[in-house]
Amino acid sequence: MQKTVFITGATAGFGKAMAERYAREGWRLVLTGRRNDRLEELKNELAPAPVLTLRFDVRDRAACEAAVASLPADFADIDVLVNNAGLALGLEPAQACDLNDWETMIDTNIKGLTYITRAILPGMVARNTGHVVNLGSVAGTYPYPGGNCYGGTKAFVNQFSKNLLADLLGTKVRVTNLEPGLCETEFSVVRFKGDKAAADKVYAGTSPITATDIAECVYWATTLPAHVNINSMEIMPVDQAFGPFAIHRS
Ligand code: NDP
Ligand code: 8X3
């Protein structure tokens, strides 16, 4: 039977690549984001795949609930939810950050993710099948200068994902926290507020993970046999690793 995937933030980066991956395998797709032109373009690109586009801001709780409640019968039974919509804003030290940026990250990466999950999870439990994939980050595990609030939101995603598993024990619903490292998408352009040159510097001289790589990981994790749960998946390019502890010497 044809399965349905619901992807938030499908207008760019990981979300778009995931839409392409699932469409190729004949899934039904619910694709969301704020940029309607991009959603429509993607729907045309994926035709004749069955695609439903929903334009809303995940920070808007009522809009999230209304979007899920509006799903027509043929798209209503979600097999895979990918909570992908998210962003980082700024790389300044905490004491110099714009509090509005912190609020936007918390509202999007934490609150938006919980609104969508809470709206979709009861159906999965009732049908005793489903898979929630959350986009965490290595930034949720490993601290780095300027990661402050962004890393904090992704640490929430990690713990929330594991706590979901605790609550879902006894059901067949699966949960995966995917934690990517350096990946080239629109992520850094957004982080640096449109400064493409600053964004390009992040990836200069490296071979970062691509959106297609991430789509492959998500597709793999969600198509394993039903008794297997990938709790978390950390993925970094070969060109990225860990440094020593930083020590200040006076
Ligand atoms: P992109 O900037 O390329 O894509 C982000 C997507 O999120 C867009 O489709 C955007 O759609 C959507 N989005 C952002 N804010 C909102 C909002 N308020 N409401 C609805 N949709 C929103 O970034 P990536 O693909 O790289 O990032 C996807 C996820 O992966 C994020 O959660 C990010 O934190 C995480 N991640 C990224 C890494 C990277 O290095 N790229 C590494 C680790 C994790 P629109 O603007 O149309 O609303
Ligand atoms: C994105 C990866 O290292 O830029 O979550 O925070 S990083």
Side-chain angles (χ1 to χ4, degrees):
M1 206 184 107
Q2 201 174 31
K3 292 191 165 189
T4 303
V5 62
F6 185 116
I7 303 170
T8 66
T11 57
F14 301 165
K16 180 171 187 286
M18 286 179 225
E20 290 163 346
R21 184 71 180 91
Y22 282 95
R24 213 160 69 228
E25 304 297 334
W27 288 53
R28 309 178 75 78
L29 300 107
V30 182
L31 305 178
T32 86
R34 291 166 300 180
R35 286 170 288 181
N36 205 40
D37 51 335
R38 296 253 191 132
L39 287 173
E40 287 313 306
E41 262 171 43
L42 186 55
K43 184 176 179 171
N44 290 337
E45 176 199 319
L46 301 179
V51 173
L52 179 76
T53 59
L54 293 172
R55 181 184 169 274
F56 63 92
D57 188 323
V58 295
R59 292 173 293 174
D60 182 339
R61 175 173 163 177
C64 289
E65 290 168 354
V68 174
S70 78
L71 292 172
D74 48 346
F75 286 93
D77 293 346
I78 308 300
D79 296 287
V80 173
L81 161 63
V82 188
N83 276 314
N84 166 74
L87 79 172
L89 287 173
L91 199 58
E92 294 82 18
Q95 62 274 24
C97 283
D98 182 341
L99 192 54
N100 291 324
D101 287 348
W102 282 10
E103 214 165 8
T104 301
M105 289 188 278
I106 292 166
D107 289 348
T108 310
N109 302 356
I110 297 181
K111 291 167 82 176
L113 181 143
T114 62
Y115 299 154
I116 297 290
T117 304
R118 185 62 184 81
I120 289 181
L121 206 52
M124 289 183 170
V125 172
R127 292 186 302 279
N128 202 24
T129 183
H131 197 149
V132 179
V133 179
N134 292 327
L135 260 296
S137 167
V138 292
T141 306
Y142 310 104
Y144 63 82
N148 44 65
C149 189
Y150 177 68
T153 66
K154 295 303 185 178
F156 171 90
V157 173
N158 173 37
Q159 195 64 17
F160 183 64
S161 303
K162 292 193 169 77
N163 279 337
L164 282 179
L165 279 172
D167 289 350
L168 291 165
L169 183 67
T171 77
K172 299 291 183 200
V173 181
R174 306 192 280 185
V175 182
T176 299
N177 179 32
L178 186 68
E179 300 176 282
L182 189 76
C183 309
E184 189 164 8
T185 59
E186 293 178 13
F187 177 83
S188 290
V189 177
V190 172
R191 174 170 238 171
F192 297 119
K193 301 176 180 173
D195 185 342
K196 181 84 169 59
D200 286 347
K201 266 193 208 153
V202 174
Y203 311 107
T206 74
S207 296
I209 299 288
T210 66
T212 309
D213 298 325
I214 296 299
E216 196 57 38
C217 293
V218 173
Y219 186 76
W220 174 78
T222 58
T223 51
L224 287 168
H227 65 283
V228 180
N229 192 80
I230 302 295
N231 295 353
S232 60
M233 230 173 149
E234 198 179 275
I235 168 167
M236 303 204 305
V238 174
D239 285 347
Q240 186 178 30
F242 310 95
F245 283 119
I247 298 170
H248 170 72
R249 299 178 200 280
S250 53

